[in-house]
Amino acid sequence: GEDVEQSLFLSVREGDSSVINCTYTDSSSTYLYWYKQEPGAGLQLLTYIFSNMDMKQDQRLTVLLNKKDKHLSLRIADTQTGDSAIYFCAERYNNNDMRFGAGTRLTVKP
Amino acid sequence: DVKVTQSSRYLVKRTGEKVFLECVQDMDHENMFWYRQDPGLGLRLIYFSYDVKMKEKGDIPEGYSVSREKKERFSLILESASTNQTSMYLCASLPVGAGELFFGEGSRLTVL
C-alpha cells in the first residue's frame, strides 16, 4: 500500500521498555526516521537510520530495520514519563520526498 | 542550529477570510514543505517547493496555494478559509542530499 503504518497508541509503565513498530512503503527509501512530537510543539528528529544498516543504537534508543519486510522499530529502554509523546515514523524516497505515518501516542504510566 | 520559524503559533479566523501562514528557515535549504496535521491522520503534505519560485502539489493541495519568492521564505495561503481547514500546520525544510527534515513549531489555525 501507499501508507506508512504504525499503531496509534502504546501504553507502558515507567521503567519498562517501549517498542514502537512501523511498516513503510518504498523498498528504495534511503533514510528511515523517527520523529518525536511533544504536546503543542513541532516534530523533532529523534534518530534515523540509513537503509544499508540494520541496527542503530543511541543511548536508550535502538532502531531496527528489516528491509525485506519494510519494517522499522524503535525501542526505548527504561522508559520515563518524559518520553510520553507522539512518535512518527517517516521514510525518505526519490531523494527529497518524505512520507509519514499517522504517529503512535506513547503514554508512560508512573 | 537550523531554525525554522513559523510566524504565528495560534490563529483564529472566520469562514471566508484570507489567511497567510509564513515560514522562514535560516540554513539555506533548497526544499521547503507545508504539512497539515490532524489526529489519527498523521502529517499530510499540502505543497512543497524545491527552489525559489518553484512549487509542487502534495497530497491535499485543494483550497491552498503557496508562494516562494525568496529561498528562505515559504508562505501558505488559504484564499477563503473554511471550517474544515481548522488544523495544525507544520512547515519544514530539507537540504539536498543527506539530512533530516527540520520542522517549525507549528501554527494552530481555527476557522470559525
Side-chain angles (χ1 to χ4, degrees), chain B residues 36-64:
Chain B
R36 67 176 279 177
Q37 181 185 12
D38 300 287
L41 297 177
L43 274 69
R44 292 181 293 167
L45 182 63
I46 305 171
Y47 267 96
F48 66 98
S49 168
Y50 53 86
D51 204 349
V52 175
K53 296 194 187 297
M54 306 300 283
K55 59 185 179 184
E56 294 283 342
K57 292 180 179 179
D59 300 319
I60 51 164
E62 297 79 18
Y64 303 95

Side-chain angles (χ1 to χ4, degrees), chain B residues 1 5 12-13 26 31 34 38 51 58 65 72 89 94 96 110-111:
Chain B
D1 281 350
T5 305
V12 179
K13 296 290 183 181
D26 65 1
N31 305 295
W34 274 105
D38 300 287
D51 204 349
S65 61
E72 67 271 18
Y89 290 88
L94 179 73
V96 170
T110 302
V111 183

Side-chain angles (χ1 to χ4, degrees), chain A residues 8 31 33 35 37 40-43 45 86 88 92 95-98 100-103, chain B residues 9 31 33 35 37 40-43 48 90 94-95 97-101 103-105:
Chain A
L8 291 183
Y31 291 89
Y33 301 86
Y35 281 85
Q37 185 183 35
L43 276 69
L45 182 70
I86 302 176
F88 290 90
R92 184 171 180 175
N95 285 331
N96 294 322
D97 292 331
M98 297 281 291
F100 285 81
Chain B
R9 290 296 306 276
N31 305 295
F33 304 79
Y35 291 90
Q37 181 185 12
L41 297 177
L43 274 69
F48 66 98
L90 291 166
L94 179 73
E100 67 183 86
L101 199 61
F103 283 89
E105 289 290 299

